[in-house]
Amino acid sequence: MIYLFYGENEFEKRQSIAKLIGNEKAARHDGEDLTLAGMQEIAIGQTLFMNSSVYLISRLSENSEIWSQIPDIKFDDDRMIILVEDKIDKRTKTYKWLQKNAKVQEFSPLSDRQKPQLLKWCVAEAKVRECELTNRQAEIIVDRLGFDQLRLSNFLDQLALAEKVTDDLIDNFIPLARTENVFDLFISALAGDYDKVHDIISYLESESGADGAYQTMGLLASQATNLTALVLADGDSKLVASDFSANPYVLRKLTSSTKGIDKEKLKRIDDALLRADLQMKTTSVNPWLLMEVALVGIGKYTKE
């Protein structure tokens, strides 16, 4: 029997393969390195590599010579051949043939809509590892690591080695990503929290040096765009998320900062960032200092 497992959800894909194979020992092959003769040998007889009836072949679709001839190869019914792919061209003759002659299953990555489901999964997986994880801690982990279940699973394996899971422990394992630090930086500037602005900039500068300032300015410009959209949409984060394909979670957190900000203040905020960006590119002054001055100025505008 032939199986085709494809998709970017590597965790679910591996779980399904393990369940299918059970205790059987599988002969594993990289499809890119296979020859047509080697593939035919797997399909109809014993291979030179292993005496097995289960064969796991990855990335065979990248071997165009073999992939195009799969429909013409005779396969014995007594052997299990599992084709494993990340992405696949559904327009090919071979994919259409596999749909009719194999068991095909797609494993799609989880989306933002499935976040509640993923949080429950994290808590449950932690319990399997005899590790207590709160819903809030699970959300912190997902927000920082993303929706990749394999990556999350590996992190939970590491977390389970600790005697007790604390917020500080999670921070040490997975510090805030740059985008989150920049989000906090922008929020702090709008709130006029100059000490926090200074602390975050000092941290980002120590982590990425002078070159990191230019990427950070680009992220700040993106946050300013989100703020402008929210103000003009009267704080309707769902509408902005739909129109700009922005992260709904980030927009909801930013919404509270729109209070008291009108078009005039938006213009002053944008002008401050634009001026700092120009100075960063045309002067020899420390770019982080120029950015901090601009953000402090933004805080003063919003407090007027």
Side-chain angles (χ1 to χ4, degrees):
M1 184 64 195
I2 306 175
Y3 295 83
L4 171 63
F5 290 166
Y6 73 96
E8 297 178 33
N9 192 328
E10 192 65 27
F11 178 83
E12 293 291 346
K13 195 161 52 180
R14 291 187 185 186
Q15 291 286 96
S16 294
I17 291 171
K19 184 177 179 180
L20 178 64
I21 293 175
N23 295 324
E24 290 284 338
K25 193 171 184 180
R28 297 174 181 268
H29 300 276
D30 187 329
E32 287 187 292
D33 298 332
L34 272 177
T35 63
L36 181 58
M39 185 66 214
Q40 289 171 331
E41 192 171 313
I42 290 172
I44 63 175
Q46 301 293 344
T47 73
L48 297 175
F49 306 107
M50 182 180 290
N51 182 11
S52 175
S53 60
V54 180
Y55 300 89
L56 192 65
I57 306 174
S58 60
R59 299 183 299 175
L60 188 63
S61 67
E62 296 180 29
N63 188 326
S64 57
E65 178 190 6
I66 297 177
W67 187 253
S68 62
Q69 297 192 54
I70 289 293
D72 301 320
I73 296 176
K74 176 178 173 55
F75 290 89
D76 281 354
D77 294 334
D78 63 346
R79 58 196 56 242
M80 180 188 294
I81 298 176
I82 307 170
L83 306 178
V84 185
E85 303 285 339
D86 291 330
K87 295 181 180 179
I88 200 163
D89 188 346
K90 296 181 180 180
R91 299 168 299 178
T92 63
K93 179 182 73 172
T94 296
Y95 175 78
K96 294 174 182 177
W97 181 86
L98 287 168
Q99 279 190 307
K100 297 177 180 179
N101 297 276
K103 291 188 177 181
V104 178
Q105 188 170 351
E106 181 177 7
F107 297 87
S108 301
L110 297 182
S111 66
D112 189 65
R113 292 181 180 179
Q114 295 166 297
K115 184 176 179 179
Q117 170 188 336
L118 186 59
L119 297 182
K120 291 180 181 178
W121 176 84
C122 281
V123 173
E125 286 291 311
K127 285 184 178 179
V128 171
R129 295 165 173 76
E130 298 182 353
C131 174
E132 291 296 326
L133 194 68
T134 67
N135 289 331
R136 179 178 172 277
Q137 288 171 337
E139 185 165 19
I140 292 172
I141 292 169
V142 169
D143 285 342
R144 295 187 187 183
L145 293 183
F147 285 39
D148 185 334
Q149 285 176 281
L150 183 60
R151 188 182 184 193
L152 291 168
S153 178
N154 291 337
F155 176 71
L156 291 174
D157 287 339
Q158 297 176 17
L159 208 58
L161 299 175
E163 293 183 5
K164 183 179 180 180
V165 177
T166 64
D167 292 353
D168 287 340
L169 179 65
I170 294 174
D171 284 338
N172 288 332
F173 267 118
I174 40 173
L176 282 170
R178 174 179 293 276
T179 50
E180 290 189 55
N181 270 307
V182 174
F183 178 77
D184 284 347
L185 180 61
F186 190 59
I187 293 292
S188 299
L190 294 174
D193 189 343
Y194 308 130
D195 289 338
K196 191 167 183 180
V197 167
H198 177 74
D199 289 344
I200 295 176
I201 283 184
S202 296
Y203 170 75
L204 290 173
E205 183 176 9
S206 67
E207 286 291 305
S208 58
D211 290 342
Y214 302 98
Q215 181 185 6
T216 299
M217 179 56 77
L219 293 170
L220 282 172
S222 177
Q223 296 297 342
T225 299
N226 288 340
L227 178 69
T228 299
L230 283 169
V231 170
L232 297 179
D234 295 324
D236 190 339
S237 61
K238 290 184 179 180
L239 177 62
V240 175
S242 174
D243 289 347
F244 286 76
S245 298
N247 188 313
Y249 173 73
V250 170
L251 290 174
R252 287 195 299 271
K253 289 181 66 176
L254 186 59
T255 299
S256 60
S257 298
T258 62
K259 296 177 182 177
I261 296 182
D262 54 21
K263 292 182 180 180
E264 177 60 27
K265 289 182 178 179
L266 283 175
K267 184 178 184 308
R268 296 176 74 176
I269 290 170
D270 291 339
D271 286 347
L273 291 176
L274 181 62
R275 186 165 54 252
D277 183 58
L278 181 62
Q279 291 172 336
M280 287 167 62
K281 295 173 180 175
T282 57
T283 71
S284 59
V285 179
N286 183 335
W288 291 105
L289 177 59
L290 293 171
M291 188 186 306
E292 184 170 351
V293 170
L295 292 171
V296 168
I298 285 173
K300 292 178 180 179
Y301 302 151
T302 57
K303 291 299 180 183
E304 291 179 356

